[in-house]
């Protein structure tokens, strides 16, 4: 088995945590080559080469790949794919966009959000917002899969894989072009990799009040998350949404504040090691899965919590 | 410009699904079915584009067994001009790759200028069909759209990505998959539900297209995830802090 692992690159930077977790999954299948694609990605390639258990790092450095747009990325990956049994990447927004397109080009199915690899052909993946786990076997010659990073521990550092530049011959078509990024400030730990996450819901009531959630997060060194209702109401930016259609997290500690616990929200956090819920409604469904619950008004409880920690 | 909107009939998002105890799948008998919520959003956007004069016709398309006609009637009641059902056998598993091939065939026949689909169906959660469709048609794609502007043969799309938002431009024809915050879909009014009964709904057997739509994946089994039990309630903030420190050891 030979695996092509697509590194998650943002701009020119390696997203080390997501890539290392997908690497841990890929390494169970066989020898792993990592593809680092982008513009000016030399440092990212060196970082990828330092993971343990990597056969080679292939570097595709070209302006056409600079924003990792789906069309040139898929074209590049599809041309490399023939030499591999598996093409795998972390289930980031970027690769969830690119890898199904690769599969479409190769006329094979995609395996989305894989949570366990049982053997070379057999995979587990959640369906229905994680309310069922399906085991599927693929008959395709090349398996293309995205890996749910929350389900794997990152591969360790300590390798020194050779770095090989590859020629980039993809078409520079004008079909799509980048206009701008409007990214949130990265002033706190990243949601998908943080050890502690504090999330606020509709109960927080306003964008101003959301500062309470941020204070608690800062006190705990935590990342900030939100329910869809809180994002829709503008209390928090979209990239903070946890759930079926947002990010899936599994931190050591997840604190849900003013969140009722709809199945779509639970889909994104129910595999957290320890769940704490603060809600004024003692019948809120979130208490059915919380290890520790506190029934009370968050406007009293959260400031007191910040004080006592 | 003609807009094609693929709509999928799925278990309603409010239903707590049950896994069959024998591991053969999810219980679908006597369960409330609805249009996939993302597809309502895609359809709403298509209708708004038509209302603004950016599109001439909105065609709803579903791939599935006969009951998907109901979903298509809902699409017609919301404002689609006509509908197409590509009919598959009851209980037949149509994977995103096969769905994408069938949508591609219809998009070519119809000479669609834009396909607006949901970013994911809430049953299989694959988040794949739009991207596969774009690959098969060799059209550009813009996934996870939270804002769409159509001008001069191109679309400017704001996308929800991991770090925030990204804006890209795609030349038309293109495939755009929509995210939750693009719009609030309208409800179909009673008069429109009545009118929808008279709008054209074509039924085409999937076999007519002569495509390889056999599944590539075999479902070995479907099980419930390990259940998580509720824990204890703390009587005060002080008790919560001490439990986190002493009992759980997470702080
Ligand atoms: C297709 C689809 C996809 C979805 N995807 C997601 C997703 O990815 N993520 C997600 O989160 N949701 C998602 N949802 C939405 C989901 O169904 C719920 O609507 C949402 O999670 C509710 O958010 P909430 O818990 O913040 O709000 P609510 O359900 O309104 O709950 C607010 C809670 O705050 C409590 N509260 C109010 N005031 C206080 C106070 N002063 N002190 C303490 N507690 C208080 C209330 O008791 C209540 O329990 C999706 C829905 C659909 C249809
Ligand atoms: C054992 C089994 C039996 C099944 N039986 C049936 C069945 O009888 N009938 C059936 O329809 N499905 C059936 N399915 C589901 C079928 O496998 C899914 O349609 C397919 O896997 C697509 O995945 P997804 O919906 O997660 O796609 P996603 O890629 O998440 O969907 C994204 C978007 O693509 C579009 N789309 C996807 N599917 C369709 C569609 N069918 N029609 C129109 N637009 C679509 C929508 O715009 C949607 O928002 C069955 C699945 C299994 C496992």
């Amino acid at each position: 088995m030979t695996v092509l692992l697509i590194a998650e690159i943002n701009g020119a930077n390696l997203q080390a945590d997501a890539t290392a977790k997908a690497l841990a999954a890929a390494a169970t299948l066989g020898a792993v080559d990592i593809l680092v694609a982008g513009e000016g990605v030399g440092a990212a390639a060196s970082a990828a080469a330092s993971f343990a258990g990597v056969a080679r790092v292939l570097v595709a450095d070209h302006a056409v790949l600079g924003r990792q747009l789906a069309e040139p990325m898929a074209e590049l990956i599809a041309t490399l794919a023939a030499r591999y049994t598996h093409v795998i990447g972390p289930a980031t927004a970027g690769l969830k966009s690119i890898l199904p397109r690769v599969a479409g080009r190769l006329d094979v199915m995609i395996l989305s959000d894989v949570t366990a690899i049982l053997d070379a052909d057999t995979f587990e993946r959640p369906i229905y917002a994680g309310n069922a786990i399906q085991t599927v076997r693929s008959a395709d010659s090349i398996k293309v899969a995205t890996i749910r990073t929350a389900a794997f521990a990152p591969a360790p550092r300590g390798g020194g894989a050779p770095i090989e530049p590859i020629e980039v011959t993809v078409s520079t078509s004008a079909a799509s072009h980048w206009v701008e990024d409007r990214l949130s400030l990265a002033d706190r730990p990243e949601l998908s990799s943080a050890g502690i996450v504090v999330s606020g819901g509709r109960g927080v009531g306003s964008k101003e009040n959301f500062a309470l959630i941020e204070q608690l997060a800062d006190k705990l060194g935590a990342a900030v998350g939100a329910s869809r209702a809180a994002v829709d109401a503008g209390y928090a930016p979209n990239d903070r949404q946890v759930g079926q259609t947002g990010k899936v997290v599994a931190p050591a500690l997840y604190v849900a504040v003013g969140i009722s616990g709809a199945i779509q929200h639970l889909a994104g956090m129910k595999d957290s090691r320890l769940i704490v819920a603060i809600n004024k409604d003692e019948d809120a469904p979130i208490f059915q899965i919380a290890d520790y619950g506190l029934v009370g008004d968050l406007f009293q409880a959260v400031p007191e919590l910040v004080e006592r920690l | 410009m003609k807009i094609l909107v693929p709509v999928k009939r799925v278990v309603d998002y409010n239903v707590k699904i049950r896994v069959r105890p024998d591991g053969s799948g999810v219980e679908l008998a006597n369960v409330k079915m609805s249009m996939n919520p993302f597809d309502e959003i895609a359809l709403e956007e298509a209708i708004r584009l038509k209302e603004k004069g950016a599109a001439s016709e909105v065609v709803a398309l579903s791939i599935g067994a006969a009951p998907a006609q109901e979903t298509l009637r809902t699409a017609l009641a919301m404002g689609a001009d006509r509908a197409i059902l590509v009919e598959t056998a009851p209980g037949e598993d149509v994977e995103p790759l096969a769905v994408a091939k069938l949508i591609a065939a219809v998009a070519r026949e119809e000479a669609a200028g834009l396909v607006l689909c949901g970013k994911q169906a809430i049953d299989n959660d694959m988040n794949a069909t739009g991207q596969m469709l774009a690959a098969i048609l060799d059209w550009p794609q813009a996934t996870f759209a939270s804002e769409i502007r159509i001008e001069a043969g191109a679309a400017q799309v704001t996308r929800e990505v991991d770090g925030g938002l990204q804006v890209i431009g795609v030349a038309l024809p293109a495939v755009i998959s929509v995210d939750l915050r693009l719009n609030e879909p309208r409800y179909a009014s009673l008069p429109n539900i009545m009118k929808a009964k008279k709008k054209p709904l074509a039924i085409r057997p999937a076999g007519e297209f002569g495509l390889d739509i056999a599944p590539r994946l075999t479902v070995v089994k479907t099980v419930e995830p390990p259940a998580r039990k509720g824990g204890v309630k703390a009587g005060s903030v002080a008790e919560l802090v001490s439990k986190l420190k002493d009992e759980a050891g997470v702080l």
Side-chain angles (χ1 to χ4, degrees), chain A residues 8 10 67 69-71 91-94 96-98 100-113 122 124-140 174-185 190 196 220 227-228 231-232 238-239 241 244-247 252-253 263-264 269-278 282-283 287-295 300-302 304-305 308-309, chain B residues 10-11 13-19 25-26 28 38 41 95-98 101 119-136 138-144 147 154-156 158-172 179-181 183-184 212 215-226 228-241 243-245 247-251:
Chain A
E8 167 68 9
N10 253 328
R67 299 287 170 178
L69 290 178
E71 297 81 7
T92 55
K96 282 202 276 197
S97 201
I98 293 164
R101 188 173 175 110
V102 171
R105 289 184 70 111
L106 297 174
D107 192 26
V108 300
M109 254 300 283
I110 178 86
L111 298 143
S112 303
D113 260 323
T122 318
E124 277 181 18
R125 55 178 305 272
I127 56 174
Y128 288 93
N131 285 298
I133 311 289
Q134 205 162 58
T135 304
V136 291
R137 187 174 299 127
S138 166
D140 281 319
S176 70
H177 66 276
W178 174 86
V179 178
E180 64 168 327
D181 283 338
R182 296 205 293 264
L183 303 182
S184 311
L185 278 173
E190 210 255 318
I196 304 181
L220 291 166
S227 70
R228 174 191 172 185
V231 175
D232 284 1
N238 67 283
D239 53 295
Q241 182 175 315
Q244 179 184 19
T245 51
K247 292 200 170 109
L253 174 61
I263 47 175
Q264 293 86 4
M269 44 66 78
K270 70 181 161 61
D271 294 325
S272 304
R273 194 126 40 89
L274 196 79
I275 297 173
V276 171
I278 302 176
E282 65 173 329
D283 295 323
F287 288 126
Q288 289 164 21
I289 62 147
D291 300 283
Y292 296 115
L294 183 70
V295 180
Q300 267 172 312
V302 174
E304 193 184 335
L305 195 53
R308 285 182 188 270
L309 286 169
Chain B
V10 298
V11 171
Y13 82 98
N14 279 310
V15 171
K16 172 100 179 69
I17 58 109
R18 268 188 344 104
V19 177
V26 168
L28 296 177
F38 289 93
I41 295 170
E95 292 171 350
L97 179 64
K101 286 179 184 176
K119 90 161 175 185
Q120 98 194 46
I122 59 163
D123 49 2
N124 278 304
D125 284 338
M126 288 272 193
N127 191 336
T129 305
Q131 299 89 308
M132 296 185 126
L133 171 66
I136 291 165
D138 199 17
W139 289 1
Q141 70 181 50
T143 48
F144 324 146
E147 198 190 327
Q156 177 149 318
T158 305
R159 308 177 52 227
E160 296 205 1
V161 296
D162 284 341
L165 300 171
Q166 179 185 59
V167 184
I168 65 169
V170 288
L172 298 177
D179 218 318
L180 291 171
R181 276 169 281 278
N183 61 46
E184 284 259 9
D212 166 21
R216 308 295 180 82
L217 305 182
T218 317
V219 178
V220 180
K221 65 173 179 189
T222 307
V223 298
E224 280 198 33
R228 194 169 178 125
K229 284 200 282 293
V232 295
K233 294 227 171 79
S236 66
V237 173
E239 192 189 332
L240 177 63
V241 172
K243 280 188 188 303
L244 289 177
K245 281 196 172 136
E247 211 173 274
V250 286
L251 295 182

Side-chain angles (χ1 to χ4, degrees), chain A residues 201-203 227-229 241-246 258-262 264-265 279-281 284 296-299, chain B residues 13 37-38 122 180:
Chain A
R202 195 190 328 254
S227 70
R228 174 191 172 185
Q241 182 175 315
V242 171
Q244 179 184 19
T245 51
I259 292 178
S260 62
Q264 293 86 4
H265 187 78
N279 196 305
K280 69 176 180 190
D281 172 10
D297 183 1
L298 71 92
F299 298 106
Chain B
Y13 82 98
F38 289 93
I122 59 163
L180 291 171

